[in-house]
């Protein structure tokens, strides 16, 4: 019974299993009926590392999609190898769309290649094509024939902006551009225009271009690369920008550059995203070739759980399929291929009948994120991330994660901020200048016979016959060269000709540049390139002037000589005193010493309120008032003459010089001779050519010239040294170009020097150098004019004493006679009073005399008695000491002497 029960239980279980299995089979067959098979085409360059990674990533995505039981679509991936050839890409796209009838195409298909394929097959226009190129074409170039063409990569303009930002951060002014020509890059000239424009914004220019065809088209790529790099080695620029290249071409470039010395100290190499993005998967030999290289790569998150799972599958699968590749890690390009395949499957599940909508693609944001690049520096066995860059934020020290800025620390100063510890080629510590230090020295000429040696002065060392060049213009040039972002080797060569001849030599490129006090004028401008003016200029006329008394604080004293001032003061006090003395007895307002002083002041201005009552006082005062009137008017005339002479030059304007047919002077080597004859219409025979600044004062003194013409900086120097000798600017100032340095037409050095000069002007360095030069010249001028300054108070216009001696004699004679008459009258009137006062005074004096003599006699007797008593006392003391000394022993004497000496010392 028990056995039958067990058998029945087993039969029941088996029947339930059969029932369940039948239902599973029914369900599975139902799912198979609902599942659609979708063909997707892939066009990849399987000869490149990027193509291999993209293939593996797409296969992983397809496997994950196909094992998903809840997916209504299964993927059939058909891969075509383009071998890096644009024609093969076009053929593969046409084959996939026609023969294989794929519903979408993924791969490194450029827009231009897809457009050409659509010319031969209309079906391509209806198939979504997802381009996995490292950068996308500009939107304005997209053809309306391809409405379903989708670009995954960042815009090419963003790549160019990132490269330019790196160049601008280190202030390299010149760069060499290297790129690989493919169908998309070569067909769009706007790519290089975009790069050139971006570089212009940061103050840099492209000086060299080097274009390579695709490696697949080269029979001997290493030889071709070596030959082209040898051409670059002969040029001075050492900043190389690889703006577009495959990893394989970039590796060969760096390898050959290292061999021929283009990756040593002073060189700079920058690699693009399509190269830097694959450095996680290259071998150590590639890293060794790229030591010190800078680059940028698209940022993506590597620490998520999904990425770790993908990375595990990726490394396992690529090791089995490509065992020759080692150290393989998935790059951003593998992730983009993986995501693109997943997006296509996702859209297919949502679409009916396998039809794709472009709108559905655009909704999947993981493929269209805001671009951010990591700036990398190859060092050691790998690379380090220096910073991140985005078009909105620029450079920042902290990496951006998940499109959210966690912490931004921007720095726009210089390479000492974000890029403080960059490892450069050749293990260089400082930022490379980007210029070949072994380039030939520039031959820069300087005028050796200029009239103003303060600007350019040439002295020869008799030992080695090397010229020693100094001066303001030379100092400005040397300071500007120090501000250049590269090393400039040059050597000065003195030039003995005129300034125009010197400019012609630069125009003919016999000389590389000219440095000196060269004026920027129109007829020179079309021949050569001038730098930014380092000092403003104009044409000034200098003439002689009358003594500059208006600059003296006590200028009014110069109206009269010292003798005249002393005589006037003495006469005024004497006449006023006599008048006051005569008038004071009858005029109560004039009594007292203070009243006399006030009376002296009021006489000068005829402001005395009380009339003079005594006729004698009126007689004394009348001639002096007449004299005051004459002297006051003479003072006014003399002071007016002196004041007018301060601002009136000897020649007012150039028209006066022309009317007088006057001789004029100027620097015979400068353009001024031509300007005076052709513009200001002076006669050539009236122009005296002077070769030195020191010749001008002598020419003025000898009446050889009546005026001299200088450019404004020269006029400043001349007046700083010789203004004390009576020279002044006169007439109008004619505006001219300033002083500039001369370069051949099209010279990039002119732009660099101009920028450096502007920086110096804004910082005040140019003004400071000019002040130092003028101060030194003024000190020399003061030393030369010291004797002239000692006589500065003297003036021929001052009025002396002789013209007024007769007038003063009359006034003084009348005053003396009036005083004598007054004194006689006063003595006669007061004779009795004076006699009594005299007797009383003599009596008092006699008494004082007697008292004084008695006191003196008493003092003498007392003094005599004291002297006698002191003498007798001293005699007795001396005798006692002599007796004591004779009676004592020698030790006692010594002891006594020591005691006396000690007491005397204390």
């Amino acid at each position: 019974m028990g056995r039958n029960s067990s058998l029945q239980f087993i039969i029941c279980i088996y029947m339930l299993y059969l029932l369940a299995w039948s239902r599973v089979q029914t369900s599975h067959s139902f799912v198979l009926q609902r599942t659609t098979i979708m063909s997707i085409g892939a066009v990849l360059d399987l000869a490149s590392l990027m193509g291999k990674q993209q293939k593996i990533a797409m296969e992983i995505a397809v496997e994950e999609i196909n094992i998903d039981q809840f997916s209504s679509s299964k993927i059939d991936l058909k891969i075509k190898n383009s071998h890096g050839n644009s024609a093969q890409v076009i053929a593969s796209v046409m084959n996939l769309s026609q023969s294989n009838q794929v519903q979408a195409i993924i791969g490194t298909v450029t827009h231009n290649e897809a457009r050409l394929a659509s010319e031969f097959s209309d079906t391509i226009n209806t198939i979504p094509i997802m381009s996995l190129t490292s950068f996308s074409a500009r939107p304005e170039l997209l053809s309306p024939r391809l409405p379903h063409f989708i670009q995954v990569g960042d815009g090419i303009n963003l790549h160019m902006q990132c490269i330019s930002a790196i160049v601008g951060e280190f202030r390299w002014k010149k760069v060499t551009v290297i790129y690989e020509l493919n169908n998309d890059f070569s067909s769009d000239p706007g790519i290089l225009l975009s790069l050139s424009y971006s570089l212009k914004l940061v103050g840099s220019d492209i000086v060299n271009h080097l274009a390579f065809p695709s490696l697949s088209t080269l029979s001997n790529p290493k030889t071709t690369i070596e030959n082209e790099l040898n051409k670059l080695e002969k040029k001075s620029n050492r900043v190389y920008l690889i703006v577009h290249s495959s990893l394989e071409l970039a590796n060969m470039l760096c390898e050959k550059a290292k061999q021929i010395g283009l990756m040593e100290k002073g060189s700079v190499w920058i690699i693009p995203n399509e190269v830097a993005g694959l450095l996680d998967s290259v071998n150590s030999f590639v890293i060794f070739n790229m030591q010190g290289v800078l680059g940028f790569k698209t940022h993506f998150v590597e620490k998520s759980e999904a990425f770790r799972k993908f990375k595990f599958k990726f490394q396992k699968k690529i090791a089995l399929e490509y065992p020759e590749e080692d150290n393989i890690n998935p790059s951003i390009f593998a992730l983009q291929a993986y995501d693109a395949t997943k997006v296509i499957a996702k859209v297919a599940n949502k679409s009916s009948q396998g039809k794709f909508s472009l709108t559905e693609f655009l909704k999947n944001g993981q493929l269209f994120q805001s671009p951010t690049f990591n700036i990398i520096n190859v060092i050691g066995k790998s690379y380090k991330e220096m910073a991140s860059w985005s078009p909105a934020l620029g450079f920042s020290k902290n990496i951006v994660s998940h499109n959210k800025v966690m912490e931004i620390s921007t720095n726009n100063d210089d390479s000492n901020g974000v890029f403080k510890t960059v490892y450069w080629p050749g293990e260089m510590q400082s930022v490379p200048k980007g210029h070949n230090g072994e380039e030939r020295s520039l031959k820069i000429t300087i005028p050796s016979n200029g009239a103003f040696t303060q600007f350019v002065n040439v002295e020869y060392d008799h030992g080695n016959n090397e010229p020693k060049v100094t001066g303001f213009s030379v100092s400005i040039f040397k300071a500007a060269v120090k501000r250049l972002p590269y090393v400039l080797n040059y050597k000065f060569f003195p030039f003995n000709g005129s300034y125009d001849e010197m400019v012609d030599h630069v125009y003919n490129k016999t000389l590389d540049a000219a440095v000196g006090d060269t004026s920027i004028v129109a007829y020179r401008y079309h021949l050569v390139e001038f730098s930014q003016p380092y000092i403003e200029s104009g044409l000034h006329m200098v003439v002689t002037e009358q003594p500059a008394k208006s600059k003296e604080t006590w200028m009014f004293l110069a109206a009269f000589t010292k003798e005249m001032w002393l005589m006037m003061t003495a006469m005024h006090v004497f006449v006023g005193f006599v008048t006051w003395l005569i008038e004071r007895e009858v005029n109560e307002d004039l009594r007292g010493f203070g009243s006399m002083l006030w009376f002296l002041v009021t006489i000068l201005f005829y402001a005395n309120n009380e009339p003079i009552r005594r006729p004698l006082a009126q007689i004394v005062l009348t001639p002096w008032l007449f004299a005051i009137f004459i002297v006051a008017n003479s003072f006014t005339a003399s002071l007016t003459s002196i004041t007018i002479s301060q601002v009136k030059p000897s020649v007012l304007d150039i028209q006066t010089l022309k009317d007088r047919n006057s001789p004029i002077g100027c620097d015979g080597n400068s353009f001024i001779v031509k300007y005076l004859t052709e513009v200001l219409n002076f006669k050539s025979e009236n122009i005296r050519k002077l070769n030195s600044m020191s010749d001008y004062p002598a020419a003025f003194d000898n009446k050889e010239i009546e005026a001299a013409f200088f450019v404004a900086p020269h006029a400043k120097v001349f007046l700083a040294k010789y203004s004390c000798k009576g020279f002044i600017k006169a007439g109008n100032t004619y505006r001219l170009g300033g002083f500039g340095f001369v370069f051949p037409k099209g010279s990039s050095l002119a732009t660099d020097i101009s920028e450096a000069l502007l920086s110096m002007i804004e910082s005040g360095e140019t003004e400071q150098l000019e002040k130092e030069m003028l101060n030194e010249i003024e000190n020399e001028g003061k030393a030369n004019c010291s004797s002239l300054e000692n006589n500065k108070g003297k003036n021929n216009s001052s009025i002396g004493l002789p013209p007024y001696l007769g007038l003063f004699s009359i006034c003084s004679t009348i005053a003396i006679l009036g005083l004598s008459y007054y004194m006689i009258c006063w003595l006669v009137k007061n004779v009795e009073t004076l006699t009594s006062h005299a007797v009383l005074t003599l009596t008092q004096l006699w008494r004082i005399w007697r008292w004084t003599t008695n006191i003196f006699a008493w003092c003498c007797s007392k003094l005599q008695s004291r002297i006698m008593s002191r003498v007798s006392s001293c005699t007795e003391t001396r005798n006692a000491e002599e007796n004591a000394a004779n009676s004592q022993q020698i030790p006692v004497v010594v002891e006594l002497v020591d005691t006396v000496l000690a007491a005397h010392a204390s």
Side-chain angles (χ1 to χ4, degrees):
M1 187 70 182
R3 184 176 180 182
N4 291 333
S5 299
S6 299
L7 183 62
Q8 290 176 356
F9 178 76
I10 293 172
I11 293 173
C12 290
I13 294 298
Y14 179 74
M15 294 298 293
L16 290 173
Y17 171 78
L18 291 176
L19 179 62
W21 175 252
S22 63
R23 290 193 176 186
V24 168
Q25 291 294 327
T26 302
S27 175
H28 181 67
S29 62
F30 179 75
V31 170
L32 289 176
Q33 292 176 359
R34 290 179 56 245
T35 302
T36 58
I37 305 299
M38 181 177 63
S39 295
I40 295 178
V43 180
L44 303 171
D45 179 13
L46 299 181
S48 66
L49 179 60
M50 180 186 296
K52 294 175 182 178
Q53 288 200 11
Q54 290 170 335
K55 174 180 178 295
I56 297 299
M58 294 177 68
E59 290 175 347
I60 292 173
V62 169
E63 291 175 359
E64 292 178 354
I65 294 169
N66 289 340
I67 64 174
D68 186 1
Q69 296 182 358
F70 299 98
S71 174
S72 60
S73 299
K74 302 299 179 184
I75 304 298
D76 180 19
L77 184 63
K78 301 181 183 299
I79 300 176
K80 297 290 185 179
N81 186 0
S82 67
H83 301 283
N85 187 283
S86 183
Q88 188 64 41
V89 172
I90 297 173
S92 299
V93 170
M94 294 175 60
N95 181 266
L96 288 172
S97 63
Q98 294 176 351
S99 302
N100 295 278
Q101 295 182 347
V102 296
Q103 295 169 285
I105 296 176
I106 308 174
T108 51
V109 182
T110 67
H111 178 267
N112 194 51
E113 291 166 344
R115 181 181 60 81
L116 290 175
S118 67
E119 298 288 339
F120 301 97
S121 175
D122 293 336
T123 57
I124 296 176
N125 300 333
T126 61
I127 297 176
I129 299 177
M130 189 167 288
S131 175
L132 299 180
T133 54
S134 60
F135 58 82
S136 60
R138 293 183 295 157
E140 60 268 22
L141 297 181
L142 297 181
S143 172
R145 290 176 57 85
L146 300 172
H148 304 295
F149 185 84
I150 303 169
Q151 301 181 109
V152 176
D154 302 315
I156 182 61
N157 289 340
L158 293 177
H159 288 234
M160 301 301 106
Q161 290 174 21
C162 185
I163 293 175
S164 301
I166 297 174
V167 173
E169 187 76 8
F170 295 99
R171 302 177 184 177
W172 294 309
K173 298 300 180 182
K174 299 179 179 63
V175 299
T176 296
V177 173
I178 303 174
Y179 48 90
E180 182 179 6
L181 290 173
N182 58 23
N183 194 25
D184 199 40
F185 196 88
S186 61
S187 64
D188 185 6
I191 295 176
L192 291 179
L193 289 176
S194 175
L195 176 61
S196 178
Y197 175 74
S198 298
L199 288 171
K200 287 284 187 182
L201 293 180
V202 298
S204 184
D205 292 306
I206 301 174
V207 293
N208 301 310
H209 289 265
L210 184 57
F212 290 98
S214 298
L215 286 180
S216 60
T217 63
L218 294 175
S219 59
N220 193 345
K222 290 189 176 181
T223 302
T224 302
I225 292 172
E226 185 175 2
N227 292 336
E228 294 298 327
L229 289 179
N230 283 328
K231 296 177 183 178
L232 287 182
E233 197 273 336
K234 298 177 181 179
K235 298 182 180 181
S236 60
N237 186 252
R238 288 294 182 268
V239 180
Y240 304 106
L241 311 181
I242 304 178
V243 297
H244 176 60
S245 169
S246 63
L247 173 66
E248 291 72 23
L249 175 60
N251 180 38
M252 290 185 187
L253 279 170
C254 293
E255 180 183 358
K256 290 300 178 181
K258 198 175 187 69
Q259 292 175 2
I260 65 178
L262 287 182
M263 293 198 73
E264 296 178 353
K265 288 184 178 181
S267 297
V268 178
W269 287 80
I270 298 178
I271 56 177
N273 181 43
E274 57 262 37
V275 177
L278 295 170
L279 292 183
D280 289 312
S281 305
V282 298
N283 55 42
S284 58
F285 183 72
V286 176
I287 295 295
F288 173 77
N289 290 334
M290 295 186 179
Q291 290 294 298
V293 169
L294 286 177
F296 65 97
K297 53 180 289 190
T298 304
H299 171 73
F300 64 93
V301 181
E302 301 179 7
K303 296 182 179 180
S304 64
E305 183 65 25
F307 177 78
R308 285 197 293 269
K309 291 181 179 179
F310 169 74
K311 182 179 180 180
F312 175 77
K313 296 178 181 179
F314 179 87
Q315 290 178 331
K316 182 178 179 181
K317 188 173 181 64
I318 199 170
L320 292 174
E321 192 161 344
Y322 299 103
E324 71 278 6
E325 301 288 350
D326 58 347
N327 191 31
I328 298 299
N329 291 299
S331 65
I332 181 63
F333 309 109
L335 286 176
Q336 288 175 344
Y338 176 82
D339 288 340
T341 307
K342 283 296 191 78
V343 167
I344 287 179
K346 183 177 180 180
V347 174
N349 283 331
K350 294 181 179 180
S351 302
S352 59
Q353 299 178 354
K355 300 294 181 179
F356 291 95
S357 171
L358 181 62
T359 305
E360 293 294 333
F361 280 110
L362 298 178
K363 288 180 180 179
N364 291 272
Q366 64 266 33
L367 292 178
F368 309 99
Q369 300 175 357
S370 177
T372 300
F373 296 111
N374 293 345
I375 311 301
I376 64 146
N377 179 212
V378 179
I379 177 174
K381 297 181 179 181
S382 183
Y383 63 87
K384 66 176 179 178
E385 293 181 347
M386 305 295 298
S388 65
W389 180 89
S390 65
L393 300 174
F395 290 107
S396 60
K397 289 185 178 180
N398 297 287
I399 307 302
V400 181
S401 178
H402 293 292
N403 288 337
K404 295 181 180 179
V405 182
M406 305 303 295
E407 183 182 355
I408 300 299
S409 176
T410 58
N411 186 302
N412 297 321
D413 294 338
D414 53 28
S415 57
N416 291 328
V418 175
F419 301 99
K420 189 175 182 180
T421 57
V422 178
Y423 178 86
W424 299 102
E427 300 182 4
M428 191 172 181
Q429 300 297 322
S430 60
V431 178
K433 296 293 186 180
H435 194 274
N436 183 10
E438 299 179 356
E439 186 190 24
R440 69 177 182 88
S441 295
L442 296 180
K443 295 174 63 178
I444 299 180
T445 183
I446 53 171
S448 61
N449 55 356
F452 289 81
T453 56
Q454 293 80 6
F455 288 85
V456 178
N457 185 37
V458 180
E459 297 178 354
Y460 288 92
D461 186 356
H462 298 290
N464 54 15
N465 201 28
E466 288 290 330
K468 180 182 179 182
V469 182
T470 57
F472 172 71
S473 299
V474 176
S475 298
I476 291 292
F477 179 77
K478 290 180 177 179
V481 168
K482 289 181 180 179
R483 292 175 177 258
L484 295 177
Y486 50 84
V487 176
L488 181 67
N489 297 320
Y490 61 90
K491 188 176 182 180
F492 288 123
F493 291 88
F495 186 79
N496 295 322
S498 67
Y499 283 75
D500 284 340
E501 292 173 345
M502 184 176 67
V503 170
D504 288 338
H505 278 279
V506 176
Y507 167 70
N508 296 327
K509 296 187 178 179
T510 307
L511 300 168
D512 296 316
V515 170
D517 48 345
T518 310
S519 295
I520 303 174
V521 290
Y523 73 89
R524 293 173 178 170
Y525 203 82
H526 73 280
L527 297 175
V528 293
E529 195 87 27
F530 279 96
S531 69
Q532 167 74 22
Y534 60 87
I535 189 171
E536 297 300 324
S537 186
L539 189 65
H540 290 172
M541 181 176 72
V542 175
V543 297
T544 56
E545 65 172 355
Q546 294 186 14
K549 291 292 184 179
S550 61
K551 299 178 182 178
E552 298 182 12
T553 305
W554 304 98
M555 180 192 66
F556 67 94
L557 296 176
F560 294 148
T561 62
K562 293 180 180 179
E563 295 81 3
M564 182 66 177
W565 281 113
L566 292 173
M567 179 58 71
M568 285 177 57
T569 304
M571 283 295 301
H572 184 67
V573 173
F574 177 66
V575 173
F577 173 78
V578 173
T579 305
W580 169 79
L581 189 63
I582 296 171
E583 187 68 9
R584 63 187 294 271
E585 292 183 358
V586 297
N587 195 335
E588 295 181 356
D589 294 332
L590 295 179
R591 293 176 182 176
F593 184 76
S595 299
M596 183 194 72
L597 296 178
W598 179 247
F599 177 70
L600 294 177
V601 175
T602 57
I603 290 176
L604 289 174
F605 305 101
Y606 313 103
N608 47 313
N609 295 326
E610 295 295 328
I612 305 302
R613 298 174 183 177
R614 283 194 171 185
L616 182 60
Q618 293 175 353
I619 292 172
V620 173
L621 186 59
T622 298
W624 181 241
L625 292 177
F626 181 75
I628 289 176
F629 176 79
I630 294 175
V631 171
N633 283 279
S634 300
F635 176 82
T636 303
S638 178
L639 186 61
T640 302
S641 176
I642 293 174
T643 306
I644 293 175
S645 70
Q646 310 313 307
V647 295
K648 184 179 179 181
S650 59
V651 180
L652 296 178
D653 50 37
I654 64 170
Q655 190 60 43
T656 304
L657 294 172
K658 294 179 183 178
D659 295 340
R660 294 179 183 175
N661 209 28
S662 301
I664 57 176
C666 68
D667 183 4
N669 290 323
S670 73
F671 77 99
I672 301 179
V673 178
K674 186 175 182 179
Y675 190 88
L676 291 175
T677 55
E678 296 183 3
V679 180
L680 299 182
N681 299 319
F682 278 96
K683 296 179 180 179
S684 58
E685 59 268 19
N686 290 336
I687 299 176
R688 307 289 183 265
K689 299 178 181 179
L690 304 177
N691 297 323
S692 175
M693 183 179 69
S694 59
D695 295 339
Y696 287 91
F700 275 107
D701 293 339
N702 298 331
K703 306 299 181 181
E704 296 178 7
I705 60 174
E706 289 190 26
F709 286 88
F710 305 100
V711 289
H714 291 171
K716 284 183 181 180
V717 171
F718 181 80
L719 293 175
K721 188 170 184 179
Y722 296 113
S723 61
C724 59
K725 292 187 176 182
F727 294 104
I728 187 175
K729 288 192 297 184
N732 297 325
T733 298
Y734 298 89
R735 294 182 61 86
L736 298 171
F739 286 171
F741 303 131
V742 186
F743 302 92
K745 277 290 185 181
S747 172
S748 59
L749 183 58
T751 304
D752 296 343
I753 291 292
S754 294
E755 183 178 352
L757 289 174
L758 285 174
S759 177
M760 291 175 60
I761 292 171
E762 292 172 359
S763 66
E765 185 177 357
T766 302
E767 183 180 2
Q768 182 62 32
L769 289 174
E770 183 182 6
K771 285 182 179 179
E772 292 176 0
M773 175 187 66
L774 293 176
N775 289 337
E776 183 179 352
I777 296 170
E778 286 177 359
N779 293 333
E780 294 178 3
K782 288 178 181 179
N784 294 333
C785 298
S786 58
S787 59
L788 199 138
E789 288 179 352
N790 293 333
N791 300 324
K792 199 171 183 179
K794 298 181 180 180
N795 192 292
N796 294 332
S797 300
S798 301
I799 300 175
L801 183 59
Y804 300 94
L805 281 177
L807 182 61
F808 288 164
S809 298
I810 294 172
C811 294
S812 60
T813 301
I814 293 175
I816 291 171
L817 292 175
L819 178 62
S820 301
Y821 179 77
Y822 173 77
M823 293 302 296
I824 292 171
C825 294
W826 184 80
L827 290 173
V828 171
K829 182 179 178 180
N830 298 285
V831 65
E832 294 180 358
T833 305
L834 289 174
T835 302
S836 63
H837 279 295
V839 172
L840 180 62
T841 301
L842 291 173
T843 302
Q844 294 296 331
L845 290 174
W846 172 250
R847 290 177 179 177
I848 292 172
W849 171 254
R850 289 183 63 186
W851 182 82
T852 302
T853 55
N854 291 333
I855 293 297
F856 180 76
W858 181 82
C859 290
C860 288
S861 64
K862 288 291 186 181
L863 180 61
Q864 185 177 5
S865 62
R866 287 191 176 216
I867 291 173
M868 293 302 294
S869 63
R870 177 61 68 90
V871 170
S872 61
S873 176
C874 289
T875 302
E876 293 175 358
T877 303
R878 185 180 300 169
N879 292 333
E881 290 176 353
E882 289 178 356
N883 294 330
N886 293 330
S887 62
Q888 293 181 359
Q889 297 293 330
I890 293 176
V892 177
V893 174
V894 173
E895 182 179 359
L896 180 61
V897 171
D898 292 339
T899 304
V900 173
L901 291 175
H904 181 268
S906 62

